[in-house]
Amino acid sequence: GRGIDYGFVGDIDKVDVSFFQSLLNQDLTIVVAPIMHDGNGQLLNTNADTVAQEIAKALSHDYDVNLIYSFEKNGVLENAADDATLLKKISSEKFKKMKADGAIFAGMIPKLDSAFAALNDGVKKVIIGKAENIRELIRGETGTTIIND
């Protein structure tokens, strides 16, 4: 078995925590684009959820970190076609069952995999929800909270 070559797609080797700390210490809001480089000038596209997860995990050793994934849906839905089926919380067991049943598929699988990995590696809280509701997501009033079993 040879792996699949996805072209110019990057992975995270390390997070420069001191760089992020210097920005946070200046009370700056940090916005990170998922464009990385290979150290030789080649730009690489990296999954934005992975970038967020790795930064959150790295910072969680020194800070209480809450990670919010924002996208076009209200959060994790019991039925992907029905926005009214929002799950307020999802555990890894529920995620595994829904994935096995085909209720969670496509792009939600890596998003939830990243969410659980972050939670299991020091991130205090992970919430997934609609980008337009960012204030409510920050306050924990909407979206889906990822929980350990």
Side-chain angles (χ1 to χ4, degrees):
R2 292 182 50 176
I4 297 172
D5 181 1
Y6 290 106
F8 298 109
V9 175
D11 290 317
I12 309 284
D13 290 330
K14 67 178 179 167
V15 173
D16 185 349
V17 174
S18 63
F19 171 73
F20 285 98
Q21 287 174 326
S22 71
L23 298 175
L24 291 169
N25 289 337
Q26 296 174 64
D27 289 326
L28 297 173
T29 299
I30 303 168
V31 177
V32 178
I35 303 298
M36 306 295 160
H37 65 86
D38 66 359
N40 297 311
Q42 177 61 58
L43 295 179
L44 305 169
N45 184 26
T46 305
N47 181 295
D49 296 335
T50 302
V51 173
Q53 169 211 0
E54 291 297 329
I55 293 170
K57 284 174 24 182
L59 292 175
S60 72
H61 300 289
D62 297 309
Y63 301 95
D64 285 339
V65 175
N66 293 333
L67 175 58
I68 298 174
Y69 288 111
S70 58
F71 72 135
E72 69 277 0
K73 294 287 188 179
N74 289 326
V76 180
L77 305 176
E78 196 72 59
N79 174 350
D82 185 355
D83 285 341
T85 62
L86 175 69
L87 295 172
K88 296 274 188 198
K89 296 180 181 179
I90 187 168
S91 67
S92 60
E93 287 303 314
K94 176 81 170 174
F95 168 51
K96 289 174 192 170
K97 181 176 182 343
M98 289 179 71
K99 187 167 58 169
D101 293 344
I104 291 180
F105 53 90
M108 278 304 289
I109 292 173
K111 188 177 295 300
L112 284 166
D113 283 340
S114 289
F116 282 106
L119 192 63
N120 292 327
D121 203 2
V123 173
K124 182 178 172 184
K125 187 174 190 178
V126 181
I127 299 175
I128 297 175
K130 195 170 198 159
E132 292 85 352
N133 298 332
I134 192 69
R135 287 186 179 101
E136 292 85 0
L137 289 167
I138 290 169
R139 292 190 301 259
E141 298 170 354
T142 189
T144 302
T145 301
I146 310 307
I147 59 171
N148 279 322
D149 297 322

